[in-house]
Every structure is written in C-alpha cells, then in structure tokens.
Amino acid sequence: MTDFSNRKPETGAFFPRDRGWHAPGLTPGYKTSVLRSPQKALLSLDGTISEITGPVFGHSMLGELDNDLIHNFAKSGESAIGERIIVHGRVLDERARPVPGALLEFWQANAGGRYRHKKESYLAPLDPNFGGCGRTITDENGFYSFRTIKPGPYPWPNGVNDWRPAHIHFSVFGHGFAQRLITQMYFEGDPMIWKCPIVATIPDRAAIEQLIAPLDWANTIPMDARAYKFDIVLRGRRSTLFENRMEGN
Amino acid sequence: MVQSLGYLKETPSQTAGPYVHIGCTPNFADITGVYPSDLGSSMVNERTLGDRITVTGRVIDGAGSPLKDALVEVWQADASGLYNSPAEMRGTADPNFTGWGRCASDGQTGVYSFETIKPGRAPFRDGRKMAPHITFWIVARGINIGLHTRMYFPEEVEANAADPLLMRIEHRHRVLTMVATREGSVYNFDIHLQGEKETVFLDI
C-alpha cells in the first residue's frame, strides 16, 4: 500500500456505469454467458465508503522483470519466441485525469495461441520460455508499459469454428473498488476481431474500437520491438461540492 | 452550441475468461517463479486486530453447478470500520490488515475461502451506520462484466434490519441471499448467479 503524499486523494462517488456501453450479462452468442448471467435487475446503489475506497499497491511489490513477459519466465540468457512488442499507454479516468498508482495485471497466450494452463488442451505447443503473466503500476502521470510477444489467435469450443482474435487480458485496479475492471486488448487491423462472439457481446462499435490498440510506429524501437498503444479509461469521480462532506473540489 | 463536457467513455469490460488464473493467481496455476506469491492470498498477519473468521462458499450457475473457474475478490473494513485506502478520510486503518483478498475457486469443488476478520461498521452516505459487511467482486468465463455484491453477517439481526442497502431490497425474501450462514467462526456464503436463489447483485 502506498500513499501519494503530495496528492489529495479523491473521495467523491463514481459516475454511474453506462450499462448500455458495456456488454449486458446475457449474450447467447457467447454460450457460457447463458447460465452465468443474472436474470434479475441489479440493485442500484450510489457509491458508499465501501466502494469509493479500494486497495492501492506500491511499486515496491514489483519484481524487476514483472513487466517483461519476454524474460520473466525464460531461462537465463533465453527469451520467448514471437513478435517482440511493447504495449504502453495511460490509465485515465472519465474526466481525463491520469490515474497514478493503478495496478495492471495482464495475461495472454504465447505466439502460437497456447496458454500455459492445465485446463488448456490446444495442440499448439507451449513455449518453454514463456509464462504469459505480467504486471506493472502506473507512474505519477498514469503511464505504464510492458514488453511481451504478440499472442496468437486460438480456437475455442463455442461455435464449431470460433477463434479468438489475438488479445491480451488486462485486470485493472484504480483507487476505488467500484472501478475494478477486467478487459481485453486487441490489435489494430486483425480481421478476427469482427468474427468473435466475445467481442460481439459489446453492443456499440465505438466501444469495441476502444479495445483495439493501434500500432504505435513512433515508439517502435528499431531492430528490437514494435509498439502498440493502449489507453484505459476507468470510472471518474463526481465532485463533492453539494454533498455533506468535509472535502470539496 | 454548448460547451463540451469533455468526458471520456469507460473502457468496456470483457470476460476474464477461463485462464484468468495465469494473470491473477499464477502460482495457483502452477506458473511459479514469476511472483513470490499470489496477490491477495493473505489479508491478515499475527498482529491484525479483530475477530478471526473464515469466509467460504461457492459461485453457482443457473443449472446449479459450482463454477470451478471463478475468481472472487473481497474488500472490507478493518475491525473498527476503517478502510485501508488513501480515500479513507476518517482515520488510519489497521496497518496489519490489507482489507483486500483474492481467491480462485477450487478446480474440483468450486470452493473459495478467505481467512479474515469480522469488519466493523462504516457509515452510509447520510451518516447512518451500515451493518458489517464484506464487498464481493466476481469474475469468470461467461461473466461479461464483474459482479458486485455484499455479504452480511447472520448474527447482526438488528444492524441488518436497519442497513440502508438491505432496506432497499423490494422483494424481502431476497435479503437472505446477501446474508451468510454461520458455524462458529466460519461463514458460508454461496453466490447464485441466476435462478430462484439468485443473489442480489449491485450496480454501484
């Protein structure tokens, strides 16, 4: 746990979530959602102290290679096989303010689309030098970056011939538990994006496009790695001007 | 023309998928040597104040089967009702209590479990006291956006009856879906995703 001692913590309640922008619970094209989605309406509750607070993690918990998936599981002197990339961006809130100290965790398949997980049985081989997990914490201005290899697409038992587009899963902690978010990042130009039933759970094309990271040519490191930019927006906090609280704007 | 409000849209949620463990509990997924331990696997130490409790249960789907690939996170106040968060303005929480835990459900039984302490009471926005509770967040394959709910304590009859959230549940028999059952210091809290026993989930 850390504190940003030169920064006054924000304590307002979060903007309500736009549930028409996110995927609904029930999306039959993604079959598993059928028995795993609530049928009753959610109970709406303006954020209380239980949701506007949340755990905050310090940079000291990070190991040196936590944000380097090319090397954090590799044998000494070796590295993962695949397209070397840097994924970087900024975590902002809906008011476009940077979110410092946000913990990001990511996981992905290897270059051939194979996950290192006992329940995964895809015939593509494991890469002995690739684990597939990483994490980092945003800096004072909300920036983050990590190195990895570009994951491959993989087939999954949904429809008879469904394949996931290349993607990286992200888990994000802001400053309040109500901001908790898990999402997936896709890659610019991948034709598989528009065939995927999980992508299609999101009703609005503009919302889907918010998950597609553009190739960031300017940040490509020559002779080393290309870059993709992925900004993440978490819920913003309301001003507390008119509420019965000590702290204001 | 009016001025632009200039707000951004929240990044849309996507399912955590069946391999969420790789990223969130890699040691549980047998990916060892990357992180020393799985984040959130321990909430207390020997100096943590408060009554030790175990919170355990399963996440159950609409066919009555426990999810064997869910990830459950909890967030709660310390024994005096304070949160270990920079946004906690009422005082300093117990430094020996993280307030946050994370547990993958067991691959065979679907059981999740937390060793924690019973939380104190924290105020609602209007100053009324809320009953002691633990906030839950559940993700899994098939869940498109993480589900929030709360667990309340069965022995807190009076506090629960006056709890501002529980009081808002229109269908009174559904209040019990947010109340654990108790055996000594063990609280069992099964989360039903859908159907007759469906847990009350929150839009917070």
Side-chain angles (χ1 to χ4, degrees), chain A residues 44-192:
Chain A
S44 298
L45 179 73
D46 194 17
T48 75
I49 185 90
S50 308
E51 297 86 26
I52 64 178
T53 57
V56 173
F57 303 89
H59 289 78
S60 61
M61 67 171 259
L62 298 175
E64 206 181 324
L65 293 177
D66 281 8
N67 67 343
D68 183 354
L69 282 70
I70 297 177
H71 297 105
N72 69 8
F73 192 77
K75 288 185 274 297
S76 179
E78 299 189 11
S79 56
I81 290 173
E83 298 179 36
R84 296 162 61 88
I85 58 171
I86 290 162
V87 178
H88 74 108
R90 217 170 174 196
V91 180
L92 305 163
D93 72 14
E94 289 167 299
R95 289 189 295 169
R97 296 188 184 196
V99 183
L103 172 68
L104 306 179
E105 299 163 293
F106 13 84
W107 65 101
Q108 61 169 92
N110 70 21
R114 174 71 186 268
Y115 282 97
R116 185 174 287 279
H117 194 282
K118 53 197 162 203
K119 287 193 177 168
E120 157 74 285
S121 56
Y122 182 35
L123 48 78
L126 287 170
D127 176 346
N129 289 311
F130 187 71
C133 63
R135 62 186 179 187
T136 190
I137 293 176
T138 57
D139 70 13
E140 276 294 293
N141 298 307
F143 288 101
Y144 77 91
S145 68
F146 62 96
R147 262 177 193 272
T148 187
I149 52 94
K150 192 176 173 192
Y154 66 90
W156 58 300
N158 186 64
V160 289
N161 189 26
D162 279 336
W163 292 71
R164 297 301 324 281
H167 64 278
I168 299 175
H169 297 265
F170 278 71
S171 163
V172 191
F173 288 82
H175 297 168
F177 206 54
Q179 285 176 305
R180 200 69 185 84
L181 181 74
I182 279 185
T183 190
Q184 301 183 29
M185 181 201 106
Y186 304 99
F187 292 85
E188 178 183 6
D190 186 346
M192 304 298 295

Side-chain angles (χ1 to χ4, degrees), chain A residues 17-18 21-22 27 30 35-37 40 43-44 47 50-51 94 105 180 183 186 210 233 235 243, chain B residues 8-12 14 62 73 83 102 125 133 141-142 144 150 168 194-195 198 201 203-204:
Chain A
R17 217 163 217 162
D18 181 352
W21 178 254
H22 289 280
T27 49
Y30 174 28
L35 285 172
R36 293 185 172 196
S37 46
K40 297 177 175 65
L43 179 68
S44 298
S50 308
E51 297 86 26
E94 289 167 299
E105 299 163 293
R180 200 69 185 84
T183 190
Y186 304 99
Q210 204 170 339
V233 180
R235 297 169 67 178
E243 295 181 54
Chain B
L8 306 175
K9 293 298 286 183
E10 188 187 10
T11 296
Q14 289 260 268
E73 290 186 8
Y83 284 92
R102 172 189 272 171
R125 297 187 73 82
H133 62 271
R141 174 173 67 102
N144 290 326
R150 283 184 182 182
R168 290 197 45 208
Q194 105 182 177
E198 186 171 311
F201 295 106
D203 187 6
I204 49 176

